[in-house]
Amino acid sequence: MVSIKLVLEYDGTDFSGWQYQKNGRSVQEELERAIHKILQCDIRVAGGGRTDAGVHAHGQVASFQSEQEIDIILFKKGINAVLPEDIVLRDVQVMPQEFHARYSAKARKYRYIIHKEPTALQRKYCWQFYQDLDIIILKECSKMIIGEHEFQSFCKSGSTVKDYVCNVSTAVWNQDGHVLTFTIISNRFLYGMVRALVGTMVNAGRGYQTIENFREILESKSRANAGMAAPAHGLVLEEIVY
Amino acid sequence: MVSIKLVLEYDGTDFSGWQYQKNGRSVQEELERAIHKILQCDIRVAGGGRTDAGVHAHGQVASFQSEQEIDIILFKKGINAVLPEDIVLRDVQVMPQEFHARYSAKARKYRYIIHKEPTALQRKYCWQFYQDLDIIILKECSKMIIGEHEFQSFCKSGSTVKDYVCNVSTAVWNQDGHVLTFTIISNRFLYGMVRALVGTMVNAGRGYQTIENFREILESKSRANAGMAAPAHGLVLEEIVY
């Protein structure tokens, strides 16, 4: 028995998210269907990071246990031939049986992209936001979330988790022309966390709130205080680190 | 009377091309409709570079003559508010009356993008080509087209032009990981020229033909000798130089 690690890229535009659900097209379901076609057996895959409806992935990781010997080159070609064009299998690796896409993950890296000018070519992969945004304020806010914090304020309600502690190792805003990119790496992420963080930082960056307000929101541990979630299509799951 | 210069970005995916046509959605038609809504008058715009069905633009230029005084900031906002989301107006400038998007253009710059690995996020903006391609051969071919040549071999039939001479100032392939980019700048382009050039260079790069064959095709001045046109969705009109 081995574990098979899959690295996936997908365009979240036409998906209800990563996870299987009754009504709606999920990445997991499409992937499992493709594996069924190639291996001729029912497989349930585990996902390394759950992405919501509309969220993209460049480096999502999935895994499944296999007793079959798998020729990874043929497997990759076969899966890519049967997957719909908005999902691609970027890499396949045979791992020790213990490997699990979710439980073995040490950290996840997400990227959120904002375009300050209208764009047609990138419109499905960014938040087009035309109000003035103060990059200095965004940077100040992002510094506050680095380290170990309880992130209740940025966790979508309806989520059932034992605790809200995340250890954020990187949280940084960069500007390149009219493109702003927020990169965040954390050992774990709560439900809706990156989009709530971005929405709330943007409220400070546009002057609706102060940097001090941002700190209060973080410390208040109440989702009601945070800003609106930033739109899903600006978010990409970049990488999962093991 | 002044001339208004518009710089446009569009996603060619759902267009039958730049130019107005009876059956099919054109960028020109959508733009003219938007201008009509904002200025309340019928305008015919001239395009700086004609893009075929499926070809994208980052820096297409259009122009029209206007007797109205135009507040370019309001005009830009208004046009972007009424344009469909796959076209954006990036910039507006008031120019002397003589300015004409097509006739005043000194050069056009196109980019053709090939991905050597499958991609979901970029699939609409590149040619996914998985066979081995020798970048050295591609570079050698591209060097041959620099300078003044008659490009009949790379001109789609049905085109009526007086002569086929183009003066190519830049023609270069670059590789960044599994992404190959061909950049070409020329005073003019014939119908279907970039895609025919790319298709034919790729035939050499994949080993179907030699560099010497490529030279013969260029010198033969017959379209029948060149390779298949590369797919439209890998091509972007980057910029028009005045």
Side-chain angles (χ1 to χ4, degrees), chain A residues 206-223:
Chain A
R206 84 218 286 196
Y208 285 12
Q209 291 182 313
T210 63
I211 298 176
E212 202 38 53
N213 291 148
F214 184 79
R215 184 193 306 278
E216 287 159 13
I217 292 165
L218 176 61
E219 288 170 359
S220 74
K221 298 175 191 167
S222 159
R223 178 66 182 89

Side-chain angles (χ1 to χ4, degrees), chain B residues 48-61:
Chain B
R50 203 169 69 170
T51 55
D52 282 350
V55 174
H56 312 292
H58 175 62
Q60 170 71 293
V61 174

